[in-house]
Short mmCIF file of all heavy atoms in Angstrom, two decimals:
data_model
loop_
_atom_site.label_atom_id
_atom_site.label_comp_id
_atom_site.label_asym_id
_atom_site.label_seq_id
_atom_site.Cartn_x
_atom_site.Cartn_y
_atom_site.Cartn_z
N LYS B 202 22.33 43.46 42.39
CA LYS B 202 22.13 44.91 42.21
C LYS B 202 21.76 45.18 40.76
O LYS B 202 22.08 44.40 39.87
CB LYS B 202 23.44 45.65 42.49
CG LYS B 202 24.08 45.32 43.81
CD LYS B 202 23.74 46.35 44.82
CE LYS B 202 24.35 46.03 46.16
NZ LYS B 202 23.44 46.31 47.25
N ILE B 203 21.10 46.31 40.57
CA ILE B 203 20.85 46.74 39.19
C ILE B 203 21.84 47.85 38.89
O ILE B 203 21.98 48.81 39.66
CB ILE B 203 19.42 47.26 39.02
CG1 ILE B 203 18.45 46.14 39.35
CG2 ILE B 203 19.19 47.74 37.60
CD1 ILE B 203 17.00 46.52 39.17
N TRP B 204 22.56 47.72 37.77
CA TRP B 204 23.65 48.64 37.47
C TRP B 204 23.28 49.63 36.37
O TRP B 204 22.72 49.26 35.33
CB TRP B 204 24.89 47.85 37.02
CG TRP B 204 25.38 46.89 38.07
CD1 TRP B 204 25.02 45.59 38.22
CD2 TRP B 204 26.30 47.18 39.15
NE1 TRP B 204 25.65 45.04 39.32
CE2 TRP B 204 26.44 45.99 39.90
CE3 TRP B 204 27.01 48.31 39.53
CZ2 TRP B 204 27.26 45.91 41.02
CZ3 TRP B 204 27.83 48.23 40.65
CH2 TRP B 204 27.95 47.04 41.38
N ASP B 205 23.60 50.89 36.62
CA ASP B 205 23.46 51.95 35.61
C ASP B 205 24.84 52.22 35.03
O ASP B 205 25.85 51.92 35.65
CB ASP B 205 22.96 53.25 36.25
CG ASP B 205 21.50 53.17 36.63
OD1 ASP B 205 20.71 52.75 35.77
OD2 ASP B 205 21.17 53.54 37.77
N VAL B 206 24.85 52.83 33.87
CA VAL B 206 26.13 53.13 33.22
C VAL B 206 26.27 54.63 33.02
O VAL B 206 25.35 55.29 32.52
CB VAL B 206 26.23 52.44 31.85
CG1 VAL B 206 27.64 52.59 31.29
CG2 VAL B 206 25.85 50.98 31.96
N PHE B 207 27.42 55.16 33.41
CA PHE B 207 27.70 56.57 33.19
C PHE B 207 28.90 56.73 32.28
O PHE B 207 29.86 55.96 32.34
CB PHE B 207 28.01 57.27 34.53
CG PHE B 207 26.79 57.48 35.37
CD1 PHE B 207 26.33 56.48 36.20
CD2 PHE B 207 26.10 58.68 35.31
CE1 PHE B 207 25.19 56.67 36.97
CE2 PHE B 207 24.96 58.88 36.08
CZ PHE B 207 24.50 57.87 36.91
N GLN B 208 28.83 57.75 31.44
CA GLN B 208 29.94 58.01 30.54
C GLN B 208 30.45 59.42 30.79
O GLN B 208 29.68 60.38 30.80
CB GLN B 208 29.48 57.87 29.09
CG GLN B 208 30.60 58.07 28.09
CD GLN B 208 30.13 57.81 26.68
OE1 GLN B 208 28.94 57.76 26.42
NE2 GLN B 208 31.07 57.66 25.77
N MET B 209 31.77 59.52 30.96
CA MET B 209 32.35 60.84 31.21
C MET B 209 33.07 61.31 29.96
O MET B 209 33.47 60.51 29.12
CB MET B 209 33.32 60.78 32.38
CG MET B 209 32.61 60.39 33.68
SD MET B 209 33.70 60.39 35.09
CE MET B 209 34.44 58.80 34.92
N SER B 210 33.24 62.63 29.87
CA SER B 210 33.98 63.16 28.73
C SER B 210 34.86 64.31 29.19
O SER B 210 34.55 64.99 30.18
CB SER B 210 33.01 63.63 27.65
OG SER B 210 32.04 64.47 28.21
N LYS B 211 35.93 64.49 28.47
CA LYS B 211 36.81 65.61 28.79
C LYS B 211 36.39 66.81 27.94
O LYS B 211 35.85 66.66 26.86
CB LYS B 211 38.26 65.23 28.47
CG LYS B 211 38.79 64.13 29.36
CD LYS B 211 40.31 64.15 29.39
CE LYS B 211 40.90 62.89 29.95
NZ LYS B 211 41.04 62.89 31.40
N ALA B 212 36.72 67.99 28.43
CA ALA B 212 36.48 69.20 27.64
C ALA B 212 37.43 69.21 26.45
O ALA B 212 38.52 68.65 26.53
CB ALA B 212 36.68 70.43 28.51
N PRO B 213 37.04 69.85 25.36
CA PRO B 213 37.84 69.77 24.12
C PRO B 213 39.31 70.17 24.28
O PRO B 213 40.16 69.60 23.66
CB PRO B 213 37.13 70.74 23.17
CG PRO B 213 35.78 70.92 23.71
CD PRO B 213 35.77 70.55 25.15
N GLY B 214 39.59 71.10 25.16
CA GLY B 214 40.98 71.55 25.24
C GLY B 214 41.85 70.81 26.25
O GLY B 214 43.03 71.06 26.37
N ASP B 215 41.24 69.88 26.98
CA ASP B 215 41.95 69.27 28.12
C ASP B 215 43.16 68.43 27.73
O ASP B 215 43.14 67.72 26.73
CB ASP B 215 40.98 68.36 28.89
CG ASP B 215 40.21 69.15 29.93
OD1 ASP B 215 40.50 70.36 30.07
OD2 ASP B 215 39.32 68.59 30.58
N ASP B 216 44.17 68.48 28.56
CA ASP B 216 45.32 67.60 28.38
C ASP B 216 44.94 66.20 28.80
O ASP B 216 44.09 66.00 29.64
CB ASP B 216 46.48 68.04 29.30
CG ASP B 216 47.00 69.40 28.91
OD1 ASP B 216 46.96 69.72 27.71
OD2 ASP B 216 47.40 70.14 29.82
N ILE B 217 45.63 65.25 28.21
CA ILE B 217 45.39 63.88 28.64
C ILE B 217 46.45 63.55 29.69
O ILE B 217 47.59 63.26 29.37
CB ILE B 217 45.49 62.90 27.45
CG1 ILE B 217 44.45 63.31 26.41
CG2 ILE B 217 45.23 61.48 27.91
CD1 ILE B 217 44.52 62.52 25.13
N ASP B 218 46.06 63.64 30.96
CA ASP B 218 47.02 63.36 32.04
C ASP B 218 47.14 61.87 32.23
O ASP B 218 46.23 61.11 31.93
CB ASP B 218 46.51 63.95 33.37
CG ASP B 218 46.45 65.46 33.29
OD1 ASP B 218 47.29 66.04 32.59
OD2 ASP B 218 45.55 66.04 33.93
N LEU B 219 48.24 61.48 32.78
CA LEU B 219 48.39 60.10 33.19
C LEU B 219 47.53 59.85 34.41
O LEU B 219 47.51 60.67 35.32
CB LEU B 219 49.85 59.78 33.54
CG LEU B 219 50.77 59.56 32.34
CD1 LEU B 219 52.19 59.39 32.82
CD2 LEU B 219 50.32 58.34 31.54
#
Side-chain angles (χ1 to χ4, degrees):
Chain B
K202 308 262 179 220
I203 299 182
W204 300 91
D205 287 311
V206 188
F207 286 85
Q208 183 175 15
M209 297 183 277
S210 50
K211 293 202 195 273
D215 273 355
D216 295 327
I217 301 174
D218 295 327
L219 281 175

